[in-house]
Amino acid sequence: HGKGSAVRLGIRHSRGRIVAIQDADLEYDPLDLLAVIAPIQSGETRVVYGSRYLDGRQDPSLLHRMINGLLTGLSNAMTGQRLTDMETCHKAFEGDLIRSIPIRECRFGFEPEITGKLAAREIAIQEVPTGYRSRSYQEGKKITWRDGLSALLCLWRYRKSGRAAFHL
């Protein structure tokens, strides 16, 4: 059933002190996970997202940058987080923390869901730069406008409820 289902299964079977997530399509370099997990290893933070937009890096697709910017901005407004790349596919968590959070989404809704659920627990997310090599749809990229619409619905569903105001 997609990415969210695979992530849920992987988390459920994980046993490590740190759980790292990377999409299987290799748009992200697996070696960059070392930088993503480092702040957790050092005890600096509990959650790290790799950002394609730190250090002047960016997705070569203007459309993807614009949609990601919109989704990340809305996510920040609804959760109180201050991210540059909520939709990143490089994420790392303290193992016990991620295993304690029930995940519902089956496809690409994992990103807004986990971001909202972390915000509801008042857990800050640290970002580090990560590399990115975009694939074309001819090369097998699967995300579509429907996934963008689903992400918008997930942002609303998993916004930091109760205490959260919609900050713009």
Side-chain angles (χ1 to χ4, degrees):
H1 284 82
K3 175 182 179 168
S5 297
V7 168
R8 274 197 324 263
L9 183 65
I11 291 168
R12 189 174 331 128
H13 290 285
S14 70
R15 298 291 174 258
R17 189 175 73 83
I18 298 172
V19 173
I21 296 171
Q22 170 167 331
D23 282 10
D25 59 16
L26 295 180
E27 285 186 322
Y28 293 79
D29 186 341
L31 288 176
D32 287 343
L33 279 175
L34 297 173
V36 175
I37 66 171
I40 299 172
Q41 287 178 310
S42 69
E44 195 178 317
T45 191
R46 301 179 75 191
V47 179
V48 180
Y49 286 11
S51 174
R52 295 168 279 189
Y53 305 108
L54 293 175
D55 291 348
R57 303 172 190 208
Q58 55 183 288
D59 184 332
S61 165
L62 176 61
L63 179 62
H64 289 155
R65 283 196 317 267
M66 289 173 47
I67 292 169
N68 188 0
L70 171 70
L71 293 173
T72 298
L74 287 171
S75 173
N76 287 342
M78 291 182 185
T79 66
Q81 299 284 359
R82 295 293 173 246
L83 302 172
T84 63
D85 192 4
M86 182 267 302
E87 292 286 344
T88 182
C89 298
H90 260 171
K91 292 180 171 62
F93 311 86
E94 284 183 343
D96 290 340
L97 172 64
I98 192 65
R99 285 187 291 271
S100 74
I101 300 173
I103 306 298
R104 287 182 38 190
E105 297 302 318
C106 291
R107 288 188 43 85
F108 295 100
F110 170 75
E111 275 74 25
E113 178 182 8
I114 195 61
T115 303
K117 287 181 175 183
L118 290 166
R121 291 182 181 205
E122 299 185 356
I123 296 171
I125 300 168
Q126 182 177 328
E127 288 185 302
V128 297
T130 194
Y132 179 70
R133 188 195 69 78
S134 179
R135 290 183 311 149
S136 68
Y137 288 96
Q138 292 77 22
E139 293 174 292
K141 190 169 197 75
K142 292 181 176 41
I143 199 161
T144 69
W145 65 269
R146 287 184 180 101
D147 296 303
L149 180 58
S150 175
L152 286 172
L153 294 171
C154 288
L155 285 171
W156 182 254
R157 183 179 303 129
Y158 301 110
R159 69 195 179 281
K160 187 175 170 185
S161 57
R163 302 176 301 277
F166 188 82
H167 319 285
L168 282 179

